[in-house]
Amino acid sequence: MPKYVFTFGAGKAEGSTGMKNLLGGKGANLAEMSILGIPVPPGFTISTEVCTSYFETDKNYPADLEVQLNKAVKATENIIGKRFGDPNDPLLFSVRSGARVSMPGMMDTVLNLGLNDESVRGLNRATGNERLGWDSYRRFIEMFANVVRGVNRSLFEHALQEIKDAKGVELDTDLDAGDMQKLVGKYKDIYRRELGEELPQNPKDQLWAAIGAVFSSWDTPRAVTYRKLNSIPNDWGTAVNIQAMVFGNMGEDSATGVAFTRDPATGAHSYFYGEFLVNAQGEDVVAGIRTPQQISLPGSREWAENNGTDEQARKTDYPSLEEIMPGIYPELEEIRKKLEEHYKDMQDVEFTIERGRLWMLQTRTGKRTASAAVKIALDMVKEGLITKEDAIMRVEPNRLDDLLHPVFDDEALRRVVTLAKGLPASPGAATGQIVFNADDAEAWAGEGKKVILVRRETSPEDIHGMNAAAGILTARGGMTSHAAVVARGMGKCCVAGCDDIVVNNADKSFSAAGKTFREGDWISLDGSTGKVLEGKVATREPELTGDFGEFMGWADEIRTLGVRTNADTPHDSQVAVGFGAEGIGLTRTEHMFFDPERILAMQEMILADDELGRQTALDKLLPFQREDFIGIFTAMDGLPVTIRTLDPPLHEFLPHTEDAQRELAVAAKIPVEKIKARVEQLNESNPMLGHRGCRLGIAYPEITAMQARAIFEAACECKKRGVDARPEVMIPLISGREELAHQKRVVIETAEKVFSEQGTRVDYLVGTMIELPRAALTADEVAEEADFFSFGTNDLTQTTFGLSRDDAGKFLPLYVEKGILPEDPFQVLDQTGVGLLVEMATQKGRRTKPDLKVGICGEHGGEPKSVKFCHRTGLNYVSCSPYRVPIARLAAAQAVIEENRGQS
Ligand code: PEP
Ligand code: MG
C-alpha cells in the first residue's frame, strides 16, 4: 500500500523539505522544522496524492487511508499525552490545507476540531480556563460551519457583534466566559437553522468532514482564479495538515503571531519583522480585526511613528513582544537565525505562545516585493549565505517589472494634499479612480480605467478586483493582513490599515481629512510611505541604481546573450539604454509617419497615380525620416541600430470614415471620390497576408530607396558630427532569397549614391526578418544574401499556427483554459513548433554563413522563458521593449546558470 500519511513531532518526522510535491509546502516544512529541533506541535500530513485521487474517484478516499490516519492520530496522542475524542481532556486538531506553493488566503482552515458539547466542559476543567473552552468551541462551530458546510460567515459575525453591542464593548477580548458560552448556543442555532441539522458531535466525523472540505477547497473559484493568475497546474492538489492544537488564547501569557525573517516590503533586516496579538487565536492577526502589535522594540517604534502614535500610548496600548515577553523573544530570534541559516532564504513564519511556551506553526519562503527580492538576494550573498548565481536565480525576471515603472515625482508630491497615512504595505505609486468592491474594480478596469480599490479590509473573495486595480487601500489590517500579503505577491501598490479613513460601503464613499470621496473620484497611493494623496499625482521614471544596479551588474557578468531594444524614437532609445540595452533590434519606421505633419505626405504618396507623384511625396517625407534617424543614432552612439523598411499594408495610412476622407480631399486637393476609390482598391480580405512587408518595397522600390537614403544621409551627418552611427537595414516579411536580394540591391545602390554625394562612408549591414515559415525553411539560401537574421516571432507565430494576430484574442484564451495550448503563443514562444523553425533557420543560416548574426525582435524577446530558449538556441541577441530590457538581461543570466547546473 502506498504511504498516504506522514507524521511529525518531538524532533522527528517521516517527511522533509524535499518532499514538497507530496506533502505540500506547509507539510514538508513542518516535518523539516521538527527534524531541526524547532518546537512544532505534533501531527501528520495527508499527501497531495490523496487529493488527486479524491478528484479522480468522484470524491472517494484510497482504501488504506483510514488505517494510516488512525495510526497517525495514535502517534500524535502518544507525543502529546492526550486522546482525540477524550471528553475530559481532549486532544484537539487544527486542519489546514497546504499546496506545493503557498496560496495565501486561498485554502481553508478549521481550528479546535474535536470539541463537542461534552469535551468543551472537559477542556474547561483541564485548563481551568472556561473562557478559553467556550471561545474555542464557538470558533470551531463558526469555522466548521463556514469552511466545511459553506454557511455564510457574516451570520456568526453578526451574532458576535450583537453580543458586544448589548454589552457595550468593542473588542472580542472584552467578552467573558459566560458571553462565549451564550455565543456557542447562538452559533449552534445558526448552524441548525441554516443546515437543518445539528452540529456533528463525533470528533471522527468532524475530522473526515474537514479533510473533505480542505480537498474540495482546491476547486473553489477563488483557488482556481489564484492558480490561473499564478500559472499553478490544477492537478497538483493540496495536502492536509492535521496538527495538535496549541492555544494562543489562554490568557495574557499567550499570544499568536506571524513574522518575516526580513522585511518583505524593503528587504531590510535590522530587526525581526512581525506582528502578534496577546490572547488571540489563529487567523485573528491576519484578519485585521484587532490592531496587531509589533514583535521587536525597534519595529514597534517605527510602527508608532508611521501611525502617529506617541511613545507613551505605544508602550501602554501596543507594546512589543520583546517588551512584554522578554523570555520568549530571544527564543524567537534564535529560531529566526536557525531558519534563515537552514533555508537560506527569507522565511514567513506563524507562531503561537501557549502559557509562556513558544510553538512554531509553520515556515515558508516569504512572499516579497520585487525590491525586497533584489535586496535580500544581494544581502544574502554578502552575508555568505548564498552564491551570486543563487542570487540571480532567486528573482523571477518578470517581477523586475515592478521596479521599472514610474514613481511619484518629488516636485508633484510637495504640492499634493496628504489625506491620510496607513501602513506602507506594498510599494509603488498608484493613481486611479476609487471603487469600493472587487466586481466594480474588475468592471471599471475592463473599460480601460485605472482604479484604486478601497475596502475596510480585503478577503480572498476580492482577489480578482485586487488584480484589476492599480492600487489597494484598506482601512484595517496590519502588514501581514490579507491585502498586504496578496498585494506584495502581485507587486501591486497597497496601503493597509489606514484608520484615518472611514469607509462607507453602502453609499460607496470614504471620508478622510474632513472630506468625502465618492466612487469615481481620483486619489493616489504611495505604497512606500503609506500616504493616501488627493487627486492625480504626476510620476517620473525610476532610477535604476543602488541595489538594482549592482544586481543587474551581476546578471550582465554571467549572461552571454545580447539584449537590444525595440524603439522608434530617440526618447524610447534613451530610456532603453538607461535600462541596459546594447543596441536597437527593431525600429518600426511606419510609426514615424503618423505624426500629423507627415501623414499628409504619406497619404499623397499612396494616392499618387505614378512614380513621379510618389517621388514628390516621398521627397517631402525624406527630411523627416532623416531627422528621426539622426536622433536615434545619436541616442545610440556607438551601438547598432536595426531599422526596418516599411511593413504595414498601405490602407492603414488612409482614412476610412467619410468625414476624414473629405478632410483629406481638401488638404491634398484631390477629389474625395478618388480617395474612396483608392481605399476600395487597397482593401484586402486578409491584409496580414496581403500587400505588406517587402512586397511593398518590391512594388514601389522608391519607398525603400527613400528610407535607405534617409538612413544613410543621417548616418553620414552623424559621422560628421562625431557620432558613431551603426545602421543595420532590415527587410521585413520575405519568403525567400529573391525578395531579399531585390530589396538589398535597392539599399546598396542608394547607400553608394549617398556615400559618393556626401564624400564619406559608414559601415552598415543589410539583413532580413524571418517571419514566414518559407523563409525559415529556406534559410540557407536566404543567408546568402543576409548579413543578419532577426526572427519576427509575432508574424512567425501567426503564420506557423495560421492564427490571425488580430483575431486570435477572441478564442485563444479558451484554448489556454481548456489546456489545448499551455500558454498564449503570442506571449510565450511556442518552442515545440515556432521554436523548431527558429532553431532550424538559425542552423541552416549559419551553415551558409558561420558568423551570421541572429536575433529575435518579436514580443517574445522580453519574455523570460522565450529569452532562455533564445540563449539555448545560440541566438546572438534578443530585442524587446525598453521596459523589458532588464527582464531579458536577468532571464539571459538565468539561462546560463540553468545550463551550467544541467537544468535547461
Ligand atoms: C514580428 O512580426 O515579430 C515583428 C517584430 O514585426 P511586427 O510586430 O511589426 O509585425
Ligand atoms: Mg512582423
Side-chain angles (χ1 to χ4, degrees), residues 73-356:
V73 170
K74 268 259 133 27
T76 311
E77 288 175 340
N78 289 342
I79 295 175
I80 212 104
K82 295 182 190 180
R83 274 194 315 106
F84 183 55
D86 183 344
N88 294 314
D89 184 12
L91 163 63
L92 303 181
F93 281 129
S94 76
V95 180
R96 294 165 188 255
S97 64
R100 264 190 229 188
V101 291
S102 76
M103 294 171 55
M106 286 297 99
M107 311 296 289
D108 298 303
T109 300
V110 180
L111 300 178
N112 310 328
L113 187 137
L115 279 178
N116 57 25
D117 293 350
E118 206 183 344
S119 64
V120 64
R121 292 178 193 278
L123 181 66
N124 287 342
R125 281 194 302 279
T127 59
N129 185 337
E130 289 230 347
R131 186 185 182 285
L132 168 84
W134 292 113
D135 185 23
S136 303
Y137 194 24
R138 66 105 190 160
R139 286 171 192 264
F140 166 66
I141 301 168
E142 174 175 341
M143 281 186 264
F144 191 86
N146 174 253
V147 174
V148 180
R149 302 300 316 273
V151 179
N152 193 331
R153 210 165 202 148
S154 66
L155 298 170
F156 298 98
E157 281 162 7
H158 189 72
L160 176 65
Q161 194 59 46
E162 258 179 13
I163 240 172
K164 286 199 276 190
D165 289 349
K167 226 181 153 179
V169 297
E170 233 180 78
L171 300 177
D172 302 3
T173 40
D174 293 330
L175 299 178
D176 60 23
D179 301 322
M180 290 297 177
Q181 185 174 3
K182 251 188 249 158
L183 266 182
V184 164
K186 283 182 185 262
Y187 280 16
K188 280 168 64 184
D189 290 344
I190 296 172
Y191 192 97
R192 188 181 313 110
R193 197 177 63 228
E194 291 299 310
L195 296 165
E197 63 187 41
E198 295 295 331
L199 175 80
Q201 292 288 310
N202 181 339
K204 277 258 159 83
D205 293 345
Q206 295 174 355
L207 184 59
W208 282 106
I211 293 168
V214 170
F215 285 145
S216 301
S217 73
W218 178 253
D219 236 19
T220 55
R222 68 188 200 215
V224 173
T225 304
Y226 186 87
R227 287 204 291 278
K228 215 189 278 168
L229 290 174
N230 292 278
S231 311
I232 299 170
N234 283 329
D235 61 2
W236 278 6
T238 179
V240 187
N241 297 297
I242 296 164
Q243 212 176 355
M245 281 296 304
V246 287
F247 293 95
N249 54 344
M250 274 210 184
E252 293 305 304
D253 57 354
S254 302
T256 183
V258 292
F260 293 91
T261 55
R262 298 184 188 222
D263 185 342
T266 65
H269 62 295
S270 51
Y271 54 78
F272 201 167
Y273 293 79
E275 299 169 333
F276 73 103
L277 284 173
V278 175
N279 201 10
Q281 196 178 37
E283 310 295 296
D284 293 357
V285 181
V286 286
I289 293 161
R290 268 155 68 192
T291 302
Q293 292 151 248
Q294 304 300 305
I295 292 180
S296 69
L297 180 55
S300 180
R301 294 209 163 117
E302 197 174 309
W303 168 86
E305 204 183 306
N306 271 331
N307 213 44
T309 306
D310 67 42
E311 176 62 9
Q312 201 46 48
R314 184 200 69 76
K315 255 174 136 169
T316 42
D317 299 337
Y318 306 104
S320 65
L321 188 84
E322 191 173 353
E323 291 161 288
I324 58 170
M325 296 192 186
I328 297 277
Y329 183 75
E331 204 185 327
L332 206 50
E333 266 290 352
E334 201 47 46
I335 291 172
R336 171 196 183 194
K337 262 206 0 247
K338 206 171 190 173
L339 287 173
E340 277 217 344
E341 270 164 22
H342 182 73
Y343 286 101
K344 302 191 188 310
D345 203 350
M346 187 264 269
Q347 297 292 298
D348 164 358
V349 299
E350 278 181 26
F351 64 89
T352 282
I353 297 161
E354 181 184 289
R355 287 186 169 161

Side-chain angles (χ1 to χ4, degrees), residues 29-77:
N29 284 332
L30 282 169
E32 190 81 3
M33 280 204 289
S34 226
I35 295 168
L36 288 174
I38 290 171
V40 168
F44 51 92
T45 303
I46 303 177
S47 78
T48 55
E49 277 177 6
V50 179
C51 182
T52 316
S53 103
Y54 180 75
F55 285 111
E56 278 169 5
T57 57
D58 204 14
K59 303 203 170 183
N60 281 306
Y61 296 113
D64 197 40
L65 181 66
E66 190 168 357
V67 175
Q68 293 190 24
L69 180 124
N70 289 339
K71 252 185 161 163
V73 170
K74 268 259 133 27
T76 311
E77 288 175 340

Side-chain angles (χ1 to χ4, degrees), residues 372-383:
V374 169
K375 180 167 169 50
I376 290 170
L378 272 183
D379 287 350
M380 286 195 163
V381 173
K382 291 175 186 166
E383 289 159 33

Side-chain angles (χ1 to χ4, degrees), residues 644 647 692 733 769 771 792 794-795 805:
R644 177 176 75 183
D647 182 62
R692 59 170 288 225
L733 213 76
M769 295 188 75
E771 300 175 278
N794 303 333
D795 274 312
R805 270 164 86 165

